[in-house]
Amino acid sequence: MVLGKVKTLAVCFDYLNDNNVPVYSGGDSVSGRVIIEVAGEVRVKTLNITARGVAKVRWTESRNAGANTAYTQNYTEEVEYLNHSDTLIGEERDEDSPEEALTVLNTGLHEFAFSFLLPQMPLATSFEGKHGSVRYWVRAELYRPWLLPVRVKKEFTVFEHIDINTPLLLAPQAGTKDKTLCCWFCASGPISLSAKIERKGYTPGESLQIFAEVENCSSRVVVPKAALCQTQTYFAKGKARQLQQQVAALRGDTLSQGKSQSWDGKLLHIPPVSPSILDCPLIRVEYSLMVYVDIPGGLNLSLSLPLVIGTIPLHAFTSRTSSISSYCCTVSWPERPEAPPSYSDLAVTEEQRRGCLERCEGSEVNQEGQGTLQAYITEFRFQPPPLYSEVDPNPEPSSGGQETRPLTLSLRTTLTCSEQTGNYTYR
């Protein structure tokens, strides 16, 4: 009997993003298929899948302990986020299974579905760095009697979502620094730098709006610049290893002595970079905007503004509110509000009132049986107010069958007016 041959063993995921990459986050369901292509008859003992997620850090440090002696120390740490196993064909056994327990695959393609849930916990975002990585993968292993196993591994991406629509990440970032250059006994004027950005949180593909002021009072020619920096920090055995690199940069105009320069929203594009990793105990990825003044022959004057690169972009309403808040912060309000006008400026004097009555005396009302406006005003001024009474038109009957009498309230006041002052008095 001629044994068949396994031509292809592959792992395919069901849900892919626009770039044809499987992307998930904590609590999501990961599903897919193991595809086997065989030629002839292939007897299979078991087909297993294993899903793993591991954060791993490793670096080496060497020190010279003498003329001919070198001391080398390895720093290695590992944290496991995911460990799931499942058997798609057969059962796990230590010995070879009997003939009747084997599964026979005929010539052609065969698919076996799998599915599992990621843990409901914050997972570290997939990352590849110089001294460490965070990786997630699914491994398929095909076991046959008396033959070596066939293995295949397929990685998938996990994002721990960071929503930048939070008050902490929407807060503006700003700073100011200055520096005085000196050479032996000759001191030049200071170089001042101030910078501001609208918020702390951004997503890849956005552009940073940089507002900066640079004033050069020194005797040197300087150049203002800005850079988006990524800082990777690795932890192992109580020690840390740090690596910093630029991922984007821009340059301003050259400033000679006594000149200044303003950046009114100068744009710095954020390229596709890994989101910030802030919760992993082994690997930490942070970002900052470095606005600095390049000083030839001296140390640069730099200002660092912290950033967080997230995965959930800015909402439209939040963007509008943030822009309004940023605009309001730039408006210069008066230190003290103006006092309201006094009552004496608004009060009507007796002469003004009499003049108004004289102008209205000749005017007539177009309705029949009506007098002049002066007559109405005079009648209103000297008549007392009407009586006030309140009667319940629909009284509710009491539970005992007794009739209730309406409640009548009577209030009478007398309104008198002083001819000299024109003031009204109630009694």
Side-chain angles (χ1 to χ4, degrees):
M1 179 179 179
V2 179
L3 295 178
K5 180 181 178 181
V6 177
K7 298 179 62 177
T8 303
L9 177 64
V11 175
C12 297
F13 295 96
D14 291 339
Y15 304 104
L16 306 176
N17 64 359
D18 297 337
N19 297 325
N20 203 29
V21 177
V23 178
Y24 305 93
S25 58
D28 287 351
S29 174
V30 181
S31 62
R33 294 156 290 129
V34 177
I35 301 175
I36 305 175
E37 183 181 4
V38 299
E41 286 189 358
V42 174
R43 294 181 298 171
V44 178
K45 177 184 174 183
T46 57
L47 174 61
N48 303 326
I49 65 161
T50 303
R52 302 243 0 238
V54 175
K56 185 181 297 185
V57 170
R58 179 183 177 86
W59 78 84
T60 302
E61 291 184 2
S62 299
R63 296 181 179 90
N64 292 328
N68 300 319
T69 306
Y71 173 75
T72 302
Q73 178 68 39
N74 294 324
Y75 294 90
T76 305
E77 290 286 349
E78 184 175 308
V79 173
E80 187 176 75
Y81 286 96
L82 172 65
N83 192 346
H84 172 83
S85 298
D86 197 5
T87 301
L88 304 183
I89 298 178
E91 298 180 357
E92 285 285 356
R93 294 171 181 251
D94 294 335
E95 300 178 356
D96 290 337
S97 300
E99 187 73 19
E100 58 271 10
L102 299 178
T103 300
V104 178
L105 301 180
N106 296 320
T107 302
L109 287 175
H110 303 269
E111 296 185 359
F112 301 91
F114 66 87
S115 177
F116 60 91
L117 291 176
L118 293 179
Q120 291 278 2
M121 58 177 286
L123 301 177
T125 299
S126 299
F127 177 75
E128 290 290 333
K130 181 178 180 180
H131 302 297
S133 62
V134 181
R135 297 173 181 171
Y136 298 84
W137 69 87
V138 171
R139 185 196 303 273
E141 299 176 321
L142 181 66
Y143 291 91
R144 297 167 293 169
W146 310 105
L147 295 173
L148 294 175
V150 182
R151 297 184 177 93
V152 65
K153 184 173 74 172
K154 183 68 173 292
E155 294 189 3
F156 61 93
T157 303
V158 170
F159 275 130
E160 179 59 31
H161 287 302
I162 301 177
D163 189 358
I164 68 172
N165 300 277
T166 59
L168 180 62
L169 300 185
L170 291 177
Q173 306 294 307
T176 302
K177 274 190 176 182
D178 56 56
K179 183 176 183 179
T180 301
L181 302 179
C182 60
C183 179
W184 294 99
F185 299 102
C186 300
S188 63
I191 302 174
S192 61
L193 168 65
S194 62
K196 177 185 175 182
I197 54 177
E198 294 180 334
R199 46 191 162 93
K200 185 178 181 180
Y202 291 86
T203 54
E206 287 189 276
S207 293
L208 281 159
Q209 280 191 324
I210 305 174
F211 300 87
E213 291 282 345
V214 182
E215 185 176 2
N216 181 22
C217 296
S218 69
S219 58
R220 304 190 188 182
V221 177
V222 299
V223 181
K225 298 180 181 180
L228 177 61
C229 299
Q230 180 194 73
T231 303
Q232 305 172 13
T233 309
Y234 304 91
F235 303 92
K237 296 183 179 181
K239 292 202 66 176
R241 192 76 177 265
Q242 198 170 78
L243 178 66
Q244 189 178 63
Q245 59 183 356
Q246 284 190 9
V247 295
L250 61 84
R251 175 192 174 100
D253 299 330
T254 302
L255 286 179
S256 58
Q257 182 180 4
K259 299 296 183 179
S260 62
Q261 186 176 148
S262 298
W263 290 359
D264 297 326
K266 200 174 185 67
L267 297 180
L268 176 61
H269 182 72
I270 301 176
V273 293
S274 171
S276 299
I277 301 179
L278 306 175
D279 298 326
C280 181
L282 301 184
I283 300 176
R284 190 174 182 89
V285 178
E286 299 170 297
Y287 293 88
S288 62
L289 174 66
M290 191 74 66
V291 183
Y292 62 99
V293 179
D294 188 2
I295 305 174
L299 296 178
N300 295 337
L301 173 61
S302 61
L303 187 63
S304 179
L305 303 179
L307 295 177
V308 173
I309 303 299
T311 59
I312 300 178
L314 191 68
H315 298 161
F317 176 77
T318 309
S319 175
R320 180 176 177 272
T321 306
S322 176
S323 61
I324 293 176
S325 302
S326 176
Y327 171 75
C328 292
C329 292
T330 60
V331 177
S332 59
W333 299 97
E335 296 182 359
R336 294 184 180 179
E338 296 181 1
S342 62
Y343 178 76
S344 60
D345 297 337
L346 302 177
V348 180
T349 62
E350 183 64 23
E351 295 179 358
Q352 293 174 343
R353 182 165 36 244
R354 289 179 180 178
C356 179
L357 294 177
E358 291 176 359
R359 287 193 299 270
C360 297
E361 185 176 1
S363 62
E364 297 182 356
V365 182
N366 295 329
Q367 299 179 2
E368 290 186 357
Q370 304 293 335
T372 63
L373 181 61
Q374 172 68 24
Y376 288 103
I377 296 176
T378 305
E379 182 180 2
F380 173 76
R381 288 181 62 184
F382 295 102
Q383 275 194 354
L387 296 178
Y388 173 78
S389 65
E390 183 176 342
V391 179
D392 187 2
N394 300 311
E396 297 181 359
S398 61
S399 59
Q402 299 179 357
E403 296 183 357
T404 59
R405 300 179 62 185
L407 177 64
T408 303
L409 299 177
S410 178
L411 176 65
R412 183 179 182 88
T413 60
T414 303
L415 177 67
T416 59
C417 177
S418 174
E419 291 291 341
Q420 296 179 355
T421 63
N423 296 330
Y424 292 93
T425 305
Y426 292 92
R427 295 180 181 177

